[in-house]
Amino acid sequence: MSEENAPKAAEFDPAPLARQLLRTVRSGALATIDRETGGPFATLVTVATDVDGSPLLLVSGLSAHATNLDADPRASILLAATGRGDPLAHPRLTVTGRVERSADPRVRRRFLARNPKSELYADFPDFSFRRMTVEGAHLNGGFAKAGRLGPAELLTDMTGAEALVQAEEGAVAHMNADHADAIALYATRLAGAPDGRWRCTGIDPEGMDLAAGDLTARLTYPERVVEPGALRRVLVALAGEARALA
């Protein structure tokens, strides 16, 4: 077979894997600009996401990275999957943008839902929540699987989803209080996660974020959802699909 007629390898689309990492990795390396030297400064932070996927942080004002961000909000966050073997064989995502203070109650709620142990110190006077305005990202998904993404490729489209955003807090509480069995099915049978005490930590137009202790999972809907009625129908259908896999 000639080179011209040889089948071409499918072009790698970095967006789905990048979004999966963004929504499931709970800690990352935050790189800020050192306010004294002007050089890079990296530290480990816990991470959550806003409804559109924008990274959320909780930082102490006593920390070097907090004072760095107050002086210059430009930063990047490295989110890496972990596992056995060569660490570089696992996918990782670098998100770049500007990290600034946020007093939005939704930012607080979503961060603490994802990182409940942070409630112990979230109200200390020197702590503040921060939200990254994403300007770009780079995914390394393994050999020959890399690519740059713009904000529109990485983040969730929130067009027309105002009703869903308003209903999210109540929907999350309802699912955790009344449908723990369905959440467990979503995690174990549809998202491929191990058994555990799974709970919902967030809902957005593309999927549902799940957590069980230190474990995380992501349930992706078969279609985009922007209003509560459609969300209910999709979740009922997915629960039926999961039960059918028994």
Side-chain angles (χ1 to χ4, degrees):
M1 182 183 293
S2 68
E3 269 187 39
E4 291 182 357
N5 296 325
K8 295 182 179 179
E11 185 176 346
F12 174 64
D13 179 6
L17 179 55
R19 291 187 178 196
Q20 179 73 8
L21 290 170
L22 183 67
R23 295 288 191 176
T24 58
V25 177
R26 293 178 58 246
S27 63
L30 171 70
T32 57
I33 299 171
D34 192 292
R35 64 191 179 96
E36 296 182 355
T37 69
F41 180 91
T43 189
L44 182 67
V45 293
T46 50
V47 184
T49 56
D50 203 351
V51 284
D52 67 347
S54 297
L56 307 177
L57 308 174
L58 174 62
V59 301
S60 167
L62 302 178
S63 65
H65 54 278
T67 55
N68 289 344
L69 289 172
D70 287 338
D72 188 333
R74 291 177 296 169
S76 65
I77 302 174
L78 171 64
L79 304 170
T82 58
R84 295 181 178 180
D86 183 355
L88 298 183
H90 301 285
R92 56 268 190 197
L93 174 71
T94 298
V95 187
T96 60
R98 303 174 72 84
V99 178
E100 297 171 305
R101 293 173 183 261
S102 175
D104 189 329
R106 186 183 70 242
V107 169
R108 172 191 171 86
R109 173 175 55 79
R110 286 183 63 93
F111 184 90
L112 294 181
R114 194 61 154 178
N115 302 284
K117 293 180 181 178
S118 298
E119 291 188 41
L120 295 172
Y121 48 83
D123 291 324
F124 287 4
D126 62 300
F127 275 79
S128 61
F129 290 94
R130 312 276 175 130
R131 183 181 189 274
M132 173 180 272
T133 300
V134 174
E135 296 177 347
H138 181 271
L139 173 78
N140 188 325
F143 180 72
K145 294 183 178 180
R148 292 192 176 277
L149 302 97
E153 298 169 286
L154 179 66
L155 300 179
T156 299
D157 180 8
M158 299 303 297
T159 305
E162 294 82 4
L164 183 68
V165 173
Q166 291 178 1
E168 187 219 3
E169 182 176 7
V172 169
H174 171 69
M175 290 299 299
N176 287 329
D178 299 335
H179 298 289
D181 55 339
I183 292 173
L185 291 174
Y186 297 151
T188 58
R189 296 186 183 176
L190 299 183
D195 292 335
R197 298 182 62 180
W198 289 95
R199 58 188 175 84
C200 173
T201 64
I203 290 172
D204 60 78
E206 292 182 342
M208 176 185 289
D209 294 324
L210 308 171
D214 294 333
L215 300 175
T216 64
R218 173 77 170 170
L219 174 70
T220 301
Y221 310 142
E223 60 192 54
R224 186 169 178 269
V225 171
V226 296
E227 56 92 21
L231 173 67
R232 189 178 303 110
R233 291 191 295 271
V234 166
L235 292 180
V236 169
L238 287 173
E241 179 183 331
R243 290 188 178 97
L245 295 175

